[in-house]
Amino acid sequence: MKREYDFSKAKRGAVVSVPKGKTRITTRLDDEILAWFRDQVERAGGGRYQAAINEVLRQHVRHARSRWRKLCVG
């Protein structure tokens, strides 16, 4: 380990770039919700709980759009 490091050319922000079509956000979820998603992913053999949350939200949006169209169209 060095005694001193040169940070004069360092950049602030995330070290890992965000893939196109994704946006990095900070959000607060209830502990029980987060625990449930983590548990589901673990029971399924592993994976990413954030992806599971994203998929559930995506399904909800599709369902909500469908219901909204039915209400608007008649």
Side-chain angles (χ1 to χ4, degrees):
M1 188 166 179
K2 293 182 180 181
R3 288 182 150 245
E4 197 173 307
Y5 292 88
D6 179 14
F7 292 102
S8 63
K9 296 179 183 171
K11 294 181 184 179
R12 292 183 64 101
V15 176
V16 178
S17 62
V18 179
K20 189 173 183 177
K22 301 274 185 176
T23 301
R24 181 183 306 271
I25 65 165
T26 299
T27 186
R28 289 174 175 81
L29 301 174
D30 293 345
D31 291 340
E32 68 180 281
I33 299 299
L34 191 55
W36 186 88
F37 275 98
R38 286 178 170 162
D39 183 58
Q40 296 306 305
V41 167
E42 186 178 318
R43 288 174 186 241
R48 299 184 337 249
Y49 71 91
Q50 294 102 329
I53 293 169
N54 199 48
E55 181 57 30
V56 168
L57 290 171
R58 184 180 289 112
Q59 289 176 16
H60 173 75
V61 168
R62 285 184 189 136
H63 179 73
R65 282 181 181 153
S66 164
R67 291 183 62 210
W68 183 256
R69 285 187 195 116
K70 288 177 186 174
L71 289 172
C72 291
V73 174

